[in-house]
Each structure stands twice: as structure tokens, then as C-alpha cells.
Amino acid sequence: MNQLKQFHGHALRHGTDFTKYLITKFLEIPNLNYARKVFDGTPHPPLFLYNKLIQAYSSRGPQSHCLPLYSQLLNQCLSPNPHSFTFLFAACARLSNPRQAQMLQAHFVKFGFGHDVYASTALVDMYAKMGLLRFARKVFDETSCKDTPTWNSLIAGYAKNGDLEVAFRLFSDMPSRNVISWTALISGYAQNGKYKEALEMYMEMQREGRVKANEVTIASVLPACANLGALEVGMRIESYARANGYFRNLFVKNAVLELYARCGVIEKAMGLFDEIGRDRNLCTWNTMIMGLAVHGKCHEALEMFEEMLRNGLIPDDVTFVGEILACTHGGLISKGRELFNSMETKYSITPKLEHYGCMVDLLGRAGLLQEAYELIKSMPMKPDSVVWGTLLGACSFHGNVELAEKAAESLFVLEPWNPGNYVILSNIYARAGKWDGVANMRKIMKGFNVTKAAGHSFIEEGGVIHKFIVEDKSHSRSNEVFRVLDCVTAEMRLGLVEIDLDLIFEELRFMELC
């Protein structure tokens, strides 16, 4: 940097024009501020330098500097080229200003650059990233020279915005696909909670064998494995990532950590946490804290929080979800209250709906139902079905009919289609001997034609995810499955298999609350 400044001073003293070289080098460092000073001191910068600066601001920011440079370019009677618009579209996508986007498109068409595939792809990508899919599709349909990145931009836009049917249709219609095409769809499924479809898409890509997964693909599919509990598949993906050098990527390492933490393989999670070492970011700490909290290691989760603070990291709202959850599973009411209150007073973090939900769960499990109800009423935002459902579950566990009716009343408004709420309230009435209430619930369900859908679960076997319901006989080998279950049941009755009944009842109680 100092050498470049000296060179710049020498050029100024001797009247030598090395502007192009200097600005290019300053942008490579990068030092945008100094590059801009050199640029502003140039009487008539050429289009090349305008494009270089616009590109630098577009990729590194602030993106708001791009459009004034473009206006300055036009005022200097220079004509932009397709590269100018490629960088401007990328900047506009980050600024997310529809009016500016349409103005740039009008200029793009006016200058006659619609034939340029790179600039046209950037235009599709701009509208897709802004969620303006109607405009993105129109540009896409009008572009005669589409290439794979053009298709990818539109697919990623639909996938990100949750329209996965259209994304899949486009994916199926593509003349050729690359790893970005597959990753866009896998990521879209995972981000929209369609974990089974995300994993199936990844496996299809592996079976087809034409495209090799990269670190972005890996980081996209592992959360699906974590949410499905597909530990075996996830471990194979981890081995693949390590073998191909992708484990240098922190996103990949954090995704594997989430897999182990969610699946309850806490020892392996802790081993990986230690392996990440100094590369840990806040996401790493939050994932480990959440894993410990969810799996009942509340004291370890709280200790990890203190260690995180000692390491100089500042907690965020996700950290506190994990910490309050740890208190919930450990029954640490005072500590939970302390953490919740410290969010605003100590860390300037405004509690969100999730934090209030965790506190309602903490108080509800401890039987402090009135306090939980008062907390709901004091919330600065409108309670959602999760918050009221948590209170209803706690009322069911502790047999509080009065508060259960209040919680259920709100739930019937928020989600009248959900049969679970009617069933839980009906069960509370039954336990309290209020048979009129039971009859009334059945009458309401019948009147609104509400029926309880069969619950389903996923199980992984041989690397394949299977979905099943109670007494499900749709599987091709269901007869064999039920024969094995009959054998296990018989052995249990004969006392040949040890069963921890306390653990089973505890799990059932937890499931009832959830």
C-alpha cells in the first residue's frame, strides 16, 4: 500500500498518467476509498475505470455508490456497455429498490444490450433476488440466448420464495444442469422445511453421477439430514466433505455440528466443536448450546454460554433461545427469568416471540400457569398458536381447566382447522370429569368437520428415509415389520428385554406437552 502511494506521488510530481494502473491496483488490495480519490482526481475517466469502480462497489459495498457513478458516466457523455449493466444489476439486487431496478432495465433495453447473455442473466437474477418473480420470468421468456446460469437464476428465485413446484418444473425443463442447478433446488427444499424432498434430490444427484456436490451443496443438504434425523446419510456426507477438502469451509463444519447436535450424538458434536477450535463463530457456539439444551444437558449448556462470553463473543437472540431452553429442560426457573430479563438490560436484545414462547414453556412445565398466562398477556406482540399451544399443553399436564379454556379459545381463532387443540381440551375435560365439555368438543369438531389426521414419523434404514403412520401397512415389507414387532412384544411380556418404564413415561409426557 505504501509503495503504491509513493508511486502515485511520483506520478503526480512528474505529470505521468498511471491512473488506470493505480486504480486497478488499489481495488485489488482492496482500498476503495483511495481508489475513489484517485478516480475523482482524474479529469476525464474512461468507461473502463467507471466499470471497475461500479464493479468494486457492487461486490464489496456500499452498493448505493453505484448508481451515482452511472449517472456521472452518462453526464460525461459516455455510453455504458453490457459490463456496466451486469455490475449495476448486481448492486441493485442488494439494494432491493424496484423503482431503480425498472429504470436500469429501461436503459438496458434503450442501449440495445438484450442480446448479451451475461447482462440478461444479471437482470433475471436481480429481479429474482428481489422477489419480483413476475418481472424475472418475463425477462427470462424474452431472452433468446439463455444459458445454464440464466436458468439457475430463475430456479433459485422461485425456490427461495417458496414456489418449489415452478422451480422443479424449470429444473426438469433445463437443457443442461450443473452443480448450482441442483444446489438451488436442494437449498430451496431445505429452507422451506421440505427436508425429505431436499435429501431425495441430493441422493438423485448422487445416483445420476454427472455432477459432483460442492461445499454449498453439502451445507444445504446437511440441515435436511439433521431435521430428519438421517444420521447415517449425514455421516456419509461428512466423509465425502472431508475427502474432497470441503471441511475447510466453516459453513460445512457448522452444518455437520448441527447434524450431530440435533441427532443427540453429543460426544461426537463436542469432538467436532473442539476440532473447529479457533475458527468457531457465533453460529458454532449457538448450535452447540442448543444441542446441549435440547438433550437435557442444561448445566453444560449454561457453562458453555459463560465460556463463550469469556472468549469475547457477544450473544444474539438465538443464543438466548438455547439458554432459556436449557433452563426449561433443567427446571431452572430463577435462572431462566434472569437470562430473559438480561436480554434487554445487559445485551440490548429485544425479546422475540420465540423467547416468550420458551418462557411460557419454562413456567408452564413448573406449574406456574398463572404467571405464564400473565406473561402472555404482557407480550408486546400478538401471541401465536405456538405460545397458546404451549400453555394449553402445560394446562393439560397440570389439569388446569380454567386457563386451558382461555388458551383453547385463542387457538380456535388462530387455527380452527387444527384438530389437536380440540382433542387436548376434550382430554382435559375428561380428566376433570366434565363430560358436558367433552360432548361439546365432539359436537364442535363434527359441526366444523374437523377430523384428527394420523400422526406420522420418519425413520432411516439403509440410507433411505421411510415415512409411516400408526399401524401403517403401505410399506412393501410391512408383514415382516409387524412379525418382528410381535416377537419383540412377546419377549417384553416374558421379561426377556429390559425396559426403562420411567424413561418411556417421561418421553410420553414430553410428547404430550409438545
Side-chain angles (χ1 to χ4, degrees):
M1 180 66 192
N2 288 331
Q3 288 179 335
L4 279 175
K5 286 183 177 179
Q6 289 171 8
F7 183 77
H8 183 212
H10 182 272
L12 289 172
R13 281 194 302 272
H14 292 82
T16 314
D17 186 11
F18 285 104
T19 306
K20 184 176 177 181
Y21 171 81
L22 284 166
I23 290 177
T24 303
K25 287 298 178 185
F26 280 125
L27 291 175
E28 285 175 2
I29 291 175
N31 189 327
L32 269 70
N33 290 335
Y34 204 93
R36 183 61 187 267
K37 285 178 183 177
V38 176
F39 177 87
D40 289 340
T42 306
H44 300 289
L47 179 63
F48 171 81
L49 289 181
Y50 275 104
N51 281 350
K52 290 295 286 186
L53 268 180
I54 291 171
Q55 181 184 17
Y57 283 126
S58 177
S59 59
R60 299 190 186 103
Q63 285 77 26
S64 56
H65 287 13
C66 292
L67 284 172
L69 274 170
Y70 174 66
S71 297
Q72 186 179 324
L73 177 160
L74 295 176
N75 290 333
Q76 292 288 327
C77 297
L78 292 170
S79 294
N81 62 17
H83 295 298
S84 312
F85 284 102
T86 301
F87 308 139
L88 286 164
F89 290 148
C92 204
R94 293 184 175 91
L95 292 170
S96 196
N97 187 320
R99 187 176 176 183
Q100 289 177 345
Q102 289 177 295
M103 180 272 289
L104 280 175
Q105 185 188 1
H107 282 228
F108 176 71
V109 172
K110 178 184 174 182
F111 282 104
F113 297 137
H115 63 278
D116 188 272
V117 66
Y118 299 106
S120 296
T121 298
L123 179 56
V124 172
D125 192 58
M126 176 187 72
Y127 281 131
K129 284 179 176 173
M130 293 171 68
L132 301 172
L133 296 175
R134 183 167 59 88
F135 292 101
R137 186 59 187 262
K138 188 173 186 295
V139 175
F140 177 85
D141 290 338
E142 291 173 354
T143 302
S144 56
C145 49
K146 303 179 188 73
D147 62 2
T148 302
T150 319
W151 286 84
N152 288 344
S153 294
L154 193 62
I155 290 168
Y158 277 108
K160 185 181 177 183
N161 284 275
D163 199 339
L164 293 158
E165 285 186 21
V166 176
F168 183 76
R169 281 202 301 271
L170 285 164
F171 178 84
S172 302
D173 292 341
M174 286 182 78
S176 64
R177 306 181 188 115
N178 60 15
V179 66
I180 298 170
S181 319
W182 288 91
T183 302
L185 210 51
I186 291 167
S187 176
Y189 280 129
Q191 289 172 6
N192 286 281
K194 294 184 176 293
Y195 305 117
K196 186 171 182 284
E197 290 85 347
L199 188 52
E200 285 173 348
M201 184 62 61
Y202 175 82
M203 290 175 165
E204 178 62 30
M205 183 186 77
Q206 296 291 90
R207 281 192 295 271
E208 191 176 282
R210 295 178 188 173
V211 171
K212 188 178 176 183
N214 62 19
E215 57 257 85
V216 183
T217 321
I218 301 301
S220 299
V221 73
L222 279 169
C225 296
N227 281 278
L228 290 170
L231 181 60
E232 183 186 326
V233 178
M235 289 174 72
R236 287 207 303 272
I237 294 172
E238 179 195 359
S239 299
Y240 170 86
R242 287 183 183 274
N244 286 274
Y246 299 148
F247 226 67
R248 292 188 293 267
N249 186 300
L250 184 57
F251 290 103
V252 172
K253 287 188 276 195
N254 282 344
V256 176
L257 181 66
E258 184 189 11
L259 170 76
Y260 288 132
R262 273 184 174 268
C263 292
V265 193
I266 299 300
E267 285 186 14
K268 286 186 80 71
M270 281 303 302
L272 178 54
F273 181 81
D274 293 337
E275 181 187 337
I276 296 171
R278 292 182 180 179
D279 292 335
R280 299 171 193 143
N281 60 6
L282 186 58
C283 177
T284 316
W285 287 92
N286 285 347
T287 301
M288 197 65 242
I289 288 170
M290 191 70 76
L292 291 167
V294 168
H295 292 93
K297 296 186 178 293
C298 53
H299 295 291
E300 290 90 334
L302 294 169
E303 286 168 10
M304 184 157 283
F305 176 68
E306 296 299 328
E307 185 185 347
M308 187 188 90
L309 296 178
R310 287 193 296 272
N311 276 269
L313 275 86
I314 300 171
D316 64 359
D317 56 307
V318 179
T319 317
F320 282 98
V321 170
E323 286 301 292
I324 299 171
L325 199 60
C327 295
T328 300
H329 286 280
L332 306 173
I333 301 151
S334 298
K335 183 64 178 176
R337 287 196 193 106
E338 177 193 324
L339 285 165
F340 182 76
N341 293 329
S342 74
M343 287 179 66
E344 275 193 298
T345 58
K346 195 171 180 181
Y347 299 101
S348 301
I349 299 172
T350 303
K352 294 182 178 178
L353 197 59
E354 295 89 341
H355 303 101
Y356 282 98
C358 287
M359 283 302 297
V360 170
D361 194 18
L362 170 66
L363 298 168
R365 288 187 187 219
L368 302 172
L369 300 176
Q370 190 60 42
E371 185 179 344
Y373 179 62
E374 294 300 326
L375 180 65
I376 293 174
K377 289 203 298 182
S378 71
M379 286 170 58
M381 70 287 290
K382 188 176 180 180
D384 66 355
S385 57
V386 176
V387 173
W388 285 115
T390 302
L391 181 63
L392 182 62
C395 290
S396 173
F397 189 77
H398 293 285
N400 189 314
V401 177
E402 182 185 349
L403 286 180
E405 288 175 332
K406 291 179 179 178
E409 186 180 340
S410 296
L411 284 166
F412 295 157
V413 173
L414 289 168
E415 42 180 36
W417 44 264
N418 187 348
N421 301 322
Y422 299 92
V423 172
I424 291 172
L425 185 58
S426 177
N427 290 341
I428 293 170
Y429 282 139
R431 290 194 199 105
K434 294 181 174 290
W435 302 110
D436 289 346
V438 174
N440 187 43
M441 282 299 101
R442 288 179 180 171
K443 184 179 178 181
I444 292 172
M445 288 181 73
K446 190 175 180 181
F448 285 104
N449 198 25
V450 177
T451 55
K452 191 174 187 307
H456 65 267
S457 297
F458 291 103
I459 189 169
E460 177 196 355
E461 193 278 322
V464 179
I465 304 298
H466 301 273
K467 177 182 175 180
F468 64 94
I469 61 174
V470 177
E471 297 185 357
D472 189 355
K473 295 186 179 180
S474 61
H475 195 275
S476 58
R477 301 180 65 185
S478 60
N479 290 333
E480 295 173 62
V481 172
F482 280 104
R483 272 201 299 273
V484 172
L485 281 173
D486 290 339
C487 290
V488 172
T489 305
E491 289 185 7
M492 287 164 61
R493 284 174 179 161
L494 292 169
L496 297 176
V497 178
E498 278 193 29
I499 309 165
D500 189 340
L501 291 174
D502 289 336
L503 181 62
I504 290 173
F505 286 132
E506 182 60 32
E507 285 293 321
L508 288 170
R509 282 196 293 270
F510 177 72
M511 287 168 66
E512 185 180 11
L513 282 175
C514 292

